[in-house]
Coordinates of all heavy atoms in Angstrom, one line a residue:
L1 N -0.1 18.3 13.0 CA 0.6 18.3 11.7 C 1.7 17.2 11.7 O 1.8 16.4 10.7 CB 1.3 19.6 11.5 CG 2.1 19.8 10.2 CD1 1.1 19.7 9.0 CD2 2.8 21.1 10.2
K2 N 2.4 17.0 12.8 CA 3.4 15.9 12.9 C 2.7 14.5 12.8 O 3.2 13.6 12.1 CB 4.2 16.0 14.2 CG 5.1 17.2 14.2 CD 6.1 17.2 13.1 CE 7.0 18.4 13.1 NZ 7.9 18.4 11.9
F3 N 1.6 14.4 13.5 CA 0.8 13.2 13.4 C 0.3 12.9 12.0 O 0.4 11.8 11.5 CB -0.4 13.3 14.4 CG -1.4 12.1 14.2 CD1 -1.2 10.9 14.8 CD2 -2.5 12.3 13.4 CE1 -2.0 9.8 14.6 CE2 -3.4 11.2 13.2 CZ -3.2 10.0 13.8
W4 N -0.1 13.9 11.3 CA -0.5 13.8 9.9 C 0.6 13.3 9.0 O 0.4 12.4 8.2 CB -1.0 15.2 9.4 CG -1.9 15.1 8.2 CD1 -2.0 14.1 7.3 CD2 -2.8 16.2 7.8 NE1 -2.9 14.5 6.3 CE2 -3.4 15.7 6.6 CE3 -3.1 17.4 8.3 CZ2 -4.3 16.5 5.9 CZ3 -4.0 18.2 7.6 CH2 -4.6 17.7 6.4
E5 N 1.8 13.8 9.2 CA 2.9 13.4 8.4 C 3.2 11.9 8.6 O 3.5 11.1 7.7 CB 4.2 14.2 8.8 CG 4.0 15.7 8.3 CD 5.3 16.5 8.7 OE1 6.0 16.0 9.6 OE2 5.5 17.6 8.2
I6 N 3.1 11.5 9.9 CA 3.4 10.1 10.3 C 2.3 9.2 9.7 O 2.6 8.1 9.1 CB 3.5 9.9 11.8 CG1 4.7 10.7 12.4 CG2 3.5 8.4 12.2 CD1 4.7 10.7 13.9
Y7 N 1.1 9.6 9.8 CA -0.1 8.9 9.2 C 0.1 8.7 7.7 O -0.1 7.5 7.2 CB -1.4 9.6 9.5 CG -2.5 9.0 8.7 CD1 -3.2 7.9 9.2 CD2 -3.0 9.5 7.5 CE1 -4.2 7.3 8.5 CE2 -4.0 9.0 6.8 CZ -4.6 7.9 7.3 OH -5.7 7.3 6.6
L8 N 0.4 9.7 7.0 CA 0.6 9.6 5.5 C 1.7 8.7 5.2 O 1.6 7.9 4.2 CB 0.8 11.0 4.9 CG -0.5 11.9 4.8 CD1 -0.1 13.2 4.2 CD2 -1.5 11.2 3.9
Q9 N 2.8 8.8 5.9 CA 3.9 7.9 5.6 C 3.6 6.5 5.8 O 3.9 5.6 4.9 CB 5.1 8.3 6.5 CG 6.4 7.5 6.1 CD 7.6 8.0 7.0 OE1 7.4 8.6 8.0 NE2 8.8 7.5 6.6
Q10 N 2.9 6.2 6.9 CA 2.5 4.8 7.1 C 1.4 4.3 6.1 O 1.5 3.2 5.6 CB 1.9 4.7 8.5 CG 2.9 4.9 9.6 CD 4.1 4.0 9.6 OE1 3.9 2.8 9.3 NE2 5.3 4.5 9.7
E11 N 0.5 5.2 5.8 CA -0.6 4.8 4.8 C 0.0 4.6 3.4 O -0.3 3.6 2.7 CB -1.6 6.0 4.7 CG -2.7 5.6 3.7 CD -3.6 6.8 3.5 OE1 -3.2 7.7 2.8 OE2 -4.8 6.8 3.9
Q12 N 1.0 5.4 3.0 CA 1.6 5.2 1.7 C 2.5 3.9 1.7 O 2.5 3.2 0.7 CB 2.5 6.4 1.4 CG 1.7 7.6 1.1 CD 2.5 8.9 1.1 OE1 3.7 8.9 1.4 NE2 1.9 10.0 0.9
Q13 N 3.2 3.6 2.8 CA 3.9 2.3 2.8 C 3.0 1.1 2.8 O 3.3 0.2 2.0 CB 4.8 2.3 4.1 CG 5.9 3.3 4.1 CD 6.7 3.3 5.4 OE1 6.3 2.6 6.4 NE2 7.8 4.1 5.5
I14 N 1.9 1.2 3.5 CA 0.9 0.1 3.5 C 0.3 -0.1 2.2 O 0.1 -1.2 1.6 CB -0.1 0.3 4.6 CG1 0.6 0.2 6.0 CG2 -1.2 -0.8 4.5 CD1 -0.3 0.5 7.2
F15 N -0.1 1.1 1.6 CA -0.7 1.1 0.2 C 0.2 0.4 -0.8 O -0.2 -0.4 -1.6 CB -1.0 2.5 -0.2 CG -1.6 2.6 -1.6 CD1 -3.0 2.5 -1.8 CD2 -0.8 2.8 -2.7 CE1 -3.5 2.5 -3.0 CE2 -1.4 2.9 -4.0 CZ -2.7 2.7 -4.1
K16 N 1.5 0.8 -0.8 CA 2.4 0.2 -1.7 C 2.6 -1.3 -1.5 O 2.6 -2.1 -2.5 CB 3.8 0.8 -1.6 CG 4.8 0.4 -2.7 CD 6.1 1.1 -2.6 CE 7.0 0.7 -3.7 NZ 8.3 1.4 -3.7
S17 N 2.6 -1.7 -0.2 CA 2.7 -3.2 0.1 C 1.5 -3.9 -0.4 O 1.6 -5.0 -1.1 CB 2.9 -3.3 1.6 OG 2.9 -4.7 1.9
Q18 N 0.3 -3.4 -0.1 CA -1.0 -4.0 -0.5 C -1.1 -4.0 -2.0 O -1.6 -5.0 -2.6 CB -2.2 -3.3 0.2 CG -2.2 -3.5 1.7 CD -2.6 -4.9 2.1 OE1 -3.3 -5.6 1.4 NE2 -2.0 -5.4 3.2
A19 N -0.7 -2.9 -2.6 CA -0.9 -2.8 -4.1 C 0.1 -3.8 -4.8 O -0.3 -4.5 -5.8 CB -0.5 -1.4 -4.6
T20 N 1.3 -4.0 -4.2 CA 2.2 -5.0 -4.8 C 1.6 -6.4 -4.6 O 1.7 -7.2 -5.6 CB 3.6 -4.9 -4.1 OG1 4.1 -3.5 -4.2 CG2 4.6 -5.9 -4.7
E21 N 1.1 -6.7 -3.5 CA 0.5 -8.0 -3.2 C -0.7 -8.3 -4.1 O -0.8 -9.3 -4.7 CB 0.1 -8.1 -1.7 CG -0.5 -9.4 -1.3 CD -0.9 -9.5 0.1 OE1 -0.4 -8.6 0.9 OE2 -1.7 -10.4 0.5
H22 N -1.5 -7.3 -4.2 CA -2.7 -7.4 -5.1 C -2.4 -7.6 -6.6 O -2.9 -8.4 -7.3 CB -3.7 -6.2 -4.9 CG -5.0 -6.4 -5.6 ND1 -6.1 -7.0 -5.0 CD2 -5.4 -6.0 -6.8 CE1 -7.1 -7.0 -5.8 NE2 -6.7 -6.4 -6.9
A23 N -1.4 -6.7 -7.0 CA -1.0 -6.8 -8.4 C -0.3 -8.2 -8.7 O -0.5 -8.7 -9.8 CB -0.1 -5.7 -8.8
T24 N 0.5 -8.7 -7.8 CA 1.1 -10.0 -7.9 C 0.1 -11.1 -8.0 O 0.2 -12.0 -8.9 CB 2.1 -10.2 -6.8 OG1 3.1 -9.2 -6.7 CG2 2.8 -11.5 -7.0
Q25 N -0.9 -11.0 -7.1 CA -1.9 -12.0 -7.1 C -2.7 -12.0 -8.5 O -3.0 -13.1 -9.0 CB -2.9 -11.8 -6.0 CG -4.0 -12.8 -5.9 CD -5.0 -12.5 -4.7 OE1 -4.7 -11.6 -3.9 NE2 -6.0 -13.3 -4.6
L26 N -3.1 -10.8 -8.9 CA -3.9 -10.7 -10.1 C -3.0 -11.2 -11.4 O -3.5 -11.9 -12.2 CB -4.3 -9.2 -10.4 CG -5.1 -8.9 -11.6 CD1 -6.4 -9.7 -11.5 CD2 -5.4 -7.4 -11.7
A27 N -1.7 -10.8 -11.4 CA -0.9 -11.2 -12.5 C -0.7 -12.7 -12.5 O -0.7 -13.4 -13.6 CB 0.5 -10.5 -12.3
K28 N -0.5 -13.4 -11.3 CA -0.4 -14.8 -11.3 C -1.6 -15.5 -11.8 O -1.6 -16.5 -12.5 CB -0.1 -15.2 -9.8 CG 1.3 -15.0 -9.4 CD 1.5 -15.5 -7.9 CE 3.0 -15.3 -7.5 NZ 3.2 -15.7 -6.1
E29 N -2.8 -15.0 -11.4 CA -4.1 -15.6 -11.8 C -4.2 -15.5 -13.3 O -4.7 -16.5 -14.0 CB -5.2 -14.9 -11.1 CG -6.6 -15.5 -11.4 CD -6.8 -16.9 -10.9 OE1 -6.0 -17.3 -9.9 OE2 -7.6 -17.6 -11.4
N30 N -3.9 -14.3 -13.9 CA -4.1 -14.1 -15.3 C -3.1 -15.0 -16.1 O -3.5 -15.6 -17.2 CB -3.9 -12.7 -15.7 CG -5.0 -11.8 -15.2 OD1 -6.2 -12.3 -15.1 ND2 -4.7 -10.5 -14.9
V31 N -1.9 -15.1 -15.7 CA -0.9 -15.9 -16.4 C -1.3 -17.4 -16.3 O -1.2 -18.2 -17.2 CB 0.5 -15.7 -15.8 CG1 1.5 -16.6 -16.4 CG2 1.0 -14.2 -16.1
K32 N -1.7 -17.8 -15.1 CA -2.1 -19.2 -14.9 C -3.3 -19.6 -15.8 O -3.3 -20.6 -16.4 CB -2.5 -19.4 -13.4 CG -3.0 -20.8 -13.1 CD -3.4 -20.9 -11.6 CE -4.0 -22.2 -11.3 NZ -4.5 -22.3 -9.9

């Protein structure tokens, strides 16, 4: 259960980072 909590926390942080990067890339391409 403790491992699961750590995994979810890390997954969510990575997801937010990747989502921000992907959204920024897509927005730049569309504006360009």
Side-chain angles (χ1 to χ4, degrees):
L1 180 66
K2 292 300 179 183
F3 170 80
W4 198 341
E5 292 177 346
I6 296 172
Y7 169 83
L8 280 178
Q9 185 178 14
Q10 295 301 317
E11 183 189 71
Q12 290 166 357
Q13 290 177 355
I14 295 172
F15 178 87
K16 185 174 182 180
S17 176
Q18 292 291 323
T20 303
E21 181 180 345
H22 187 86
T24 302
Q25 180 182 353
L26 182 61
K28 285 182 177 180
E29 182 66 24
N30 290 333
V31 173
K32 177 182 177 182

